[in-house]
Structures are given as C-alpha cells and as structure tokens.
Amino acid sequence: MKVHLRLLGTLPDYYPGDYPETGLDLDVPAGITVGELADLVQMPRERISIVSVNGFLAKADDKVPENGVVKFLQSLHGG
Amino acid sequence: MKFLRVDMTAQTAEWQDVPQEYEKLGGRALTSLLVDSEVSATADPLTGDNKLVFAPGYFSGTTLVNSSRLSVGAKSPLTGGIKESNVGGTVAYSLARLGVKAVVVEGQAADGKYFYLNIESDTAASLVPCDQLKGMRTYALTQTLHGELGTDKSVTCIGPAGDQQLLSASIQSTDLDGRPCRAAGRGGLGAVMGSKGLKAIVVDRNGKKPVPLADDKRFKDAARAYAKDVKADEFSGEILPELGTAVLVEPINAAGAFPTRNARQGQFENVDKISGEAIAKVIKERGGKNKHKGCAQCIVDCSNEFVTAEGEFVTSSLEYETIWSMGGMIGNDDIDAIARLDFLCDDIGLDTMNTGVALAVAFDAGYAEFGDAKKAISLVEQVAEGTEMGRLIGNGPHAVGEHFNHDRVPAVKKQSMAAYDPRAIQGMAVTYATTPMGADHTAGWVVDQNLEAFGGTVDARSGEGQVEISRATQIHMAAVDSVGICDFAQSGLASEEGIGNVYTMMSAKSGDVFGEAEWAELGSTVLRTELGFNKRAGLTEEDYQLPEMFYKEPLPPYNVVVKVTREQMNSTFEDL
C-alpha cells in the first residue's frame, strides 16, 4: 500500500538518502505500524518523539492506513 | 553587589548594600520576595505605592551560558496579583557585570513628568528628564538613546502602550544587535513603568566586575559541563538553531492543541504556511538570518531575523507564541502579516500574546472576520494612536470581552492563555489555572510529558496525573526563573547529572550546601510567597480556575473538554 511520510524539524538530516522537500511517497507492506515505518526508512526511533497520522497523534504500535499521511516530529523542550 | 533604589517622587537614585535576606537570591525569587515585603498587596498597581523591581538571575554575569535573564516584578495591573516576567537580551548580564543586584523603582513622578535612568557603573546612576520621549516607539527611542549615549548601552524601555498605561504593555529590552525586540511581555508591567514616569533604563555594557563566587573553580567546572550538555542535546544543539522556537508549530498542531480562531479549533488547516520549517525556508530564501544570536552568553542561537522579499528587516525574533497569537489564533496564514504584527508589538511595547488574543476575542465577537490580517494590523497601530478601539485592544482580551459582552475569553486572572490549548494538553490546564501569574505557559510547561515518547508519559487528554506533573514543574520553574537560566537551555539540567551541575553551581556561588531539597525549597518558597501575596490582594479560589468555555466546548479534532476538576485545581498547592 502507499503512504506519504514527512520528516519535520531536522529529521531530514538523518534520512539516509535525498529527502524531497515535499516528503516521501512510499510503497509499504499493508498493516505496517508507525514504529515499523520508522525502521523501514532507517530513522532511529529515539529521534522521533511525536507522530501524527492523518492529523491525529499516533503511537509506535498504531497501524498506518492505506494512503495515510504520516509526520515524524522531534523532541520538545522549552516554554 | 548593590541595590539601586530609585525614588521617582523625589527623583533620586541611591546605592544601597544588599540587605542580608536578599544576598543569596536572584531573579524571580528576589523580585517576588521583595515585592511581597515592600508593597502592600492592596496597593493600586498604577500609583506610587507599587514598586517595580528589576533583578538579574542569580547566575547572571557568571561564566554560565544562557544566563542573561532579567526578572521584572511588581503588583500587576492586569492580574491584580504579584507578577514576575522575565526577558533575555543583554540587560541582565550588563547589570550583573556592573555589580548591580537589583534596581528597585518606587514612587511616581509628579505631573506626568518623564525620565530615563542612566546606569553607568555601580556608583553612577542618574535620572534624566525626558518629557520629549513620551509617546515614542521603542525602535526610535532606542536609536535616540544610542545616538545620545553611545551604542554600547543596553536599553530597557516602554513604548506608547506603556506610556498610556495599558494593561498589555510590555517592557522591551535590547538584544545583542541593539534592537528592542526582547520582551518582558506579561502582566502589564510596562504600564507600571509608565505610571512611574520611567521611559527607559540605560545600562552600560562595559562592566567587568566579576560576580562573587565562593568557589570559583568549582563553579566554572560545573558551568562548563552544563554548557557541554546544552550543546550535545538534540533540541538545543540542533533543532533550535536551525528552526527556532517556531519548530513547535507542527507538533502542537498535530496534537490538536494549537488554539485556532479564538480556540474554536485545535488545529489550523493552513499550518504548513506558518510552520517553523516554512518560516526557516522563507528566511533563508530572502537572505534573512536563521541561527541568530539574540542574548548575551547564548550558545543556542534560537533567534532569527525575518526580512521582506526585498531583504529589508521586518522583525527579530519571530517566535512560536507570536506565530500562534497573530497566526492561527486569529485565523491568519500570512507569514508576512504575522511578522509585521510581531514588529508592531515590539515597537509599541505590547505583549504579543495578550494582544493577539484580544484581537481573536474581538473577531470572535463579530468585530471582523477571522483571517483579516489588514484589520489586525490596523487595530494594533490604533493602540499606539490611542483610539478608543486601540485602547481596548491594548487592555487585553478581558477588556475586549467585556466591551462586546462576549464570554469566550481564554484567560485566567485576565491574562490570556498561551499557545497550548488546555483541553488537548490537560497539564497546561492545571498550569494556566493554578500559577500565581495568570495563564502563563512558562510557569509550568508540561507539554513534553504530555506528548513525547510516541504519545507522552501521561495521557494528554486525560486529567489523570496532571496536577502532580504541573505542581512539580511549577516548583522547578520558580527555581529556574530565580537562577536565570533560559528556558531553551534547560536541556542542560534535564538529566540527573545535569541538574547536579546546577546544584553544584548554587553551592559554589553561595558557599552553602545545596542539593535537591534546597532546589525544591527555593521554588516552593517563591510560590508560597506569591500565592500569599495574591490572597492578601483579594484573589480567591475563583481566580484560580479556567473559563467555562474550556469545560463546556469540546475542542476539535479530538472533541475533548478539560477533565481536571475544580477541586483538583484547588488541591494543587494546598500542602505547599
């Protein structure tokens, strides 16, 4: 199935390959989880703090739906 | 080090040895304890009975990185309680290196007379008459003062909003480039400064006095280790320099916690246009500056310079809270308009959050359409002009709500909330409601515990555990605000070893034994003092609650309301 993945913050710097500004269109196995998607694109899980799938927060074990838009975001500090 | 006591009534500036009870305090601890001790809680904040206290953090002026934070304290004309608002830039470092522990401004100049305070050393300070500067905007004012006195001066000042004693008036302070773009924005402290007849404080930046340390080597070793941790951390070492605080836009929006159109939605559909990634790209393409250094002693460089398509300076620094308040909160996706509004707030001397939310409440009440950036700019310009509508906007969201008889006012103690909707991050509900400061995000920022690690260590949309997290963070932050460490360098104290470096520095500076218990007691003492002041000022449990809208209106897309009960809110500090 197809999914669209966007890497935000400085995560594109850790993508092993050329990261297109508009994000990655990927063919992935059906039923893939968010965590498995991170592994698939070789993005270290510890670099990812927040994930959204179709605009909703997701956790590592949540499944990615077909044509889902996934965003990987980074750690937060501040105020 | 010394206190500088400035009596605006008598027009005197006198040096005083630091009273013993304040010797080992700085920042928020110093301002809050001094205001509590010397200002009647029932005083009218805009009279000579109030005192305005400026205190560098306890670590300001030392070798510790990211420690040029100045706390400003007084009784707030906005919240009716005690207030501490802090600012970066150069002023805290400059004061500390002149040997100035605090500047205490009291009394009130007669007949609307205006002065600026010129601090040249720890023996030379004077009030200079400046009626001609009343009404001047902060950029022109700074240029004038730098022209007269030299550019090696830090300027901390008010603009037309402070001159008019409006309740959203900020105190602006110059950055390393000499621009008055750093703000002690919250609580209307600019109005207090205006009421005293004090337009600006000018501080010489050439001070070389070492800040006294009980154990110089021990302090420097711990400070060096702290700096190493700040640099090594992904957020402060990589993300903030590249993208600035605007990097928060996407994740907070993803969490459904980005208050949009006066908090009617939790996600802004055009977030791609105003995200940190989008802004950094625009800045780069136009020849502006990302990774800009705004504050003395900074190694994070989270500031930026936003420019026009032609490369002309617009504002510095365009930050997350303002991108929200002048963006999503008013339904505006025009980044150039957001940048212009940010500049105007700095130039007029306004809290960008209270002002943006005031606009949002006006728009929500039907005064204009959400997304009308031209109207927003016109209204903020009117604050400087002093029109009836301008004064209303300049007095903040509560005043606007009252004027339009509109009850959707997202504020606590009349101070607007910040850029985290309390329904989607329920820990922020507790912080907004229970801090002595009004709805202040920095008083207890619990976003990371609610959202990180693939969904947070607590459930962001549940009330479970949120009181405990907020309480612990508020105690911690009261201590952080007292030592004067920048929020964005807190990565240096995130680990057990990191906070250990802070305890070591406290011990090495004070000569006392200092550890976890003393840190918690410092924060608790500050909060107890502030809560006590507020109680004597007449604030009740009702003043420590969120507005009804957060309990009654489910927030899309998660359609959740605040679940922390009023009783739970009231329990937050009951055994402090």
Side-chain angles (χ1 to χ4, degrees):
Chain A
M1 68 176 193
K2 292 189 182 306
V3 298
H4 183 74
L5 175 64
R6 284 196 61 196
L7 306 175
L8 294 162
T10 57
L11 287 178
D13 297 345
Y14 297 95
Y15 179 68
D18 291 333
Y19 176 79
E21 204 173 276
T22 52
L24 299 161
D25 290 308
L26 302 169
D27 275 313
V28 299
I32 193 171
T33 65
V34 164
E36 289 164 349
L37 181 62
D39 299 340
L40 186 76
V41 297
Q42 299 176 53
M43 187 58 57
R45 289 193 186 200
E46 64 272 16
R47 292 213 171 270
I48 306 167
S49 281
I50 300 173
V51 177
S52 74
V53 176
N54 293 338
F56 288 85
L57 288 180
K59 295 194 178 187
D61 293 337
D62 290 341
K63 289 194 183 333
V64 181
E66 188 163 11
N67 296 315
V69 176
V70 183
K71 291 181 180 179
F72 287 170
L73 306 114
Q74 290 169 295
S75 66
L76 309 172
H77 294 300
Chain B
M1 297 185 85
K2 291 181 179 172
F3 270 17
L4 178 60
R5 294 267 183 183
V6 181
D7 185 338
M8 298 302 298
T9 308
Q11 290 154 33
T12 57
E14 293 180 356
W15 296 99
Q16 177 192 38
D17 291 337
V18 178
Q20 195 181 358
E21 63 266 35
Y22 299 121
E23 272 179 1
K24 293 178 179 177
L25 300 177
R28 178 172 167 184
L30 203 164
T31 63
S32 286
L33 267 63
L34 195 146
V35 169
D36 181 65
S37 169
E38 297 191 7
V39 177
S40 165
T42 56
D44 181 336
L46 297 178
T47 66
D49 294 336
N50 202 1
K51 294 191 182 186
L52 188 62
V53 186
F54 300 82
Y58 190 60
F59 290 156
S60 298
T62 67
T63 55
L64 180 65
V65 298
N66 293 81
S67 61
S68 182
R69 300 295 302 180
L70 181 79
S71 287
V72 188
K75 182 179 178 183
S76 165
L78 179 70
T79 68
I82 200 166
K83 190 72 200 174
E84 185 266 357
S85 184
N86 59 67
V87 61
T90 58
V91 60
Y93 183 80
S94 300
L95 279 171
R97 294 306 298 264
L98 285 178
V100 181
K101 179 91 168 166
V103 180
V104 184
V105 182
E106 55 194 68
Q108 189 166 37
D111 306 324
K113 293 284 182 194
Y114 252 41
F115 298 85
Y116 70 80
L117 176 65
N118 190 15
I119 305 175
E120 296 173 84
S121 71
D122 67 346
T123 55
S126 56
L127 283 167
V128 181
C130 66
D131 287 352
Q132 74 282 7
L133 300 180
K134 193 172 188 176
M136 189 177 278
R137 296 191 183 200
T138 66
Y139 272 74
L141 173 72
T142 303
Q143 203 171 12
T144 302
L145 291 172
H146 280 156
E148 285 178 12
L149 304 167
T151 54
D152 56 345
K153 307 285 181 183
S154 179
V155 177
T156 300
C157 62
I158 56 172
D163 296 333
Q164 296 174 63
Q165 300 175 33
L166 301 178
L167 301 183
S168 300
S170 62
I171 295 174
Q172 298 293 132
S173 199
T174 47
D175 69 355
L176 282 168
D177 297 325
R179 295 180 176 126
C181 58
R182 299 276 148 189
R186 312 240 68 193
L189 296 182
V192 177
M193 197 159 158
S195 75
K196 301 210 165 296
L198 184 63
K199 183 67 175 174
I201 299 176
V202 181
V203 182
D204 189 90
R205 287 179 60 187
N206 298 306
K208 295 280 190 293
K209 286 201 167 193
V211 171
L213 300 170
D215 186 336
D216 193 70
K217 182 178 183 312
R218 198 162 160 244
F219 186 94
K220 284 178 179 165
D221 286 348
R224 202 174 297 119
Y226 188 97
K228 201 174 163 189
D229 288 347
V230 172
K231 266 294 184 202
D233 180 81
E234 182 189 32
F235 192 71
S236 55
E238 292 179 25
I239 301 173
L240 283 174
E242 191 164 320
L243 298 162
T245 61
V247 75
L248 291 168
V249 172
E250 277 273 10
I252 303 304
N253 194 67
F258 193 67
T260 298
R261 297 185 181 83
N262 199 30
R264 287 189 178 273
Q265 295 100 31
Q267 289 185 334
F268 187 38
E269 66 281 4
N270 292 335
V271 72
D272 283 354
K273 295 184 181 175
I274 62 169
S275 68
E277 291 79 2
I279 291 169
K281 185 166 175 272
V282 168
I283 289 173
K284 190 176 176 188
E285 285 171 356
R286 293 180 177 179
K289 286 182 189 164
N290 292 305
K291 200 182 178 185
H292 176 248
K293 196 180 292 297
C295 303
Q297 300 281 89
C298 178
I299 60 167
V300 174
D301 300 346
C302 73
S303 179
N304 58 37
E305 273 186 25
F306 191 90
V307 298
T308 64
E310 291 74 37
E312 298 291 322
F313 174 82
V314 179
T315 196
S316 178
S317 164
L318 195 51
E319 304 224 22
Y320 172 64
E321 303 293 340
T322 307
I323 293 163
W324 158 73
S325 66
M326 297 301 183
M329 192 61 169
I330 61 170
N332 171 33
D333 63 9
D334 179 346
I335 192 61
D336 287 293
I338 294 171
R340 176 68 186 159
L341 285 160
D342 181 57
F343 171 79
L344 284 175
C345 284
D346 287 347
D347 204 26
I348 295 166
L350 283 167
D351 173 9
T352 61
M353 283 181 268
N354 231 42
T355 305
V357 177
L359 293 169
V361 172
F363 289 12
D364 203 31
Y367 184 76
E369 291 289 318
F370 280 115
D372 190 342
K374 281 186 183 166
K375 177 65 81 178
I377 289 170
S378 158
L379 285 169
V380 174
E381 285 280 13
Q382 285 186 51
V383 178
E385 293 160 14
T387 67
E388 186 183 350
M389 196 60 202
R391 289 184 63 82
L392 201 57
I393 295 295
N395 277 325
H398 183 82
V400 173
E402 280 198 333
H403 177 81
F404 288 109
N405 195 24
H406 189 67
D407 67 356
R408 296 192 75 263
V409 179
V412 179
K413 300 180 192 65
K414 301 183 183 176
Q415 178 172 279
S416 82
M417 70 166 180
Y420 313 90
D421 197 291
R423 290 163 289 189
I425 303 177
Q426 303 249 334
M428 294 308 292
V430 181
T431 295
Y432 289 158
T434 63
T435 167
M437 296 293 149
D440 184 339
H441 63 298
T442 63
W445 196 82
V446 292
V447 175
D448 46 354
Q449 296 100 315
N450 273 259
L451 296 184
E452 282 200 348
F454 278 105
T457 49
V458 294
D459 181 349
R461 297 187 288 280
S462 158
E464 198 68 33
Q466 302 289 7
V467 165
E468 292 76 12
I469 288 174
S470 175
R471 173 195 156 99
T473 307
Q474 288 191 60
I475 291 169
H476 173 72
M477 283 310 303
V480 170
D481 288 341
S482 301
V483 298
I485 291 176
C486 172
D487 278 4
F488 301 116
Q490 281 199 64
S491 49
L493 51 75
S495 67
E496 207 170 298
E497 193 181 309
I499 190 75
N501 287 327
V502 176
Y503 302 156
T504 300
M505 286 186 280
M506 287 297 287
S507 176
K509 183 166 190 299
S510 65
D512 296 336
V513 172
F514 201 95
E516 186 178 356
E518 287 75 18
W519 182 255
E521 185 51 30
L522 172 62
S524 298
T525 299
V526 172
L527 284 168
R528 272 196 302 271
T529 302
E530 293 167 348
L531 291 165
F533 183 96
N534 284 1
K535 192 171 186 182
R536 296 199 310 280
L539 273 64
T540 68
E541 285 187 348
E542 279 305 300
D543 296 299
Y544 289 90
Q545 297 293 341
L546 293 173
E548 280 294 298
M549 61 184 277
F550 293 125
Y551 284 100
K552 287 182 174 170
E553 297 179 20
L555 180 73
Y558 294 104
N559 297 315
V560 64
V561 296
V562 169
K563 293 170 185 167
V564 184
T565 66
R566 290 172 178 275
E567 290 70 29
Q568 286 174 311
M569 295 289 192
N570 291 338
S571 74
T572 305
F573 292 125
E574 64 187 5
D575 60 344
L576 186 68

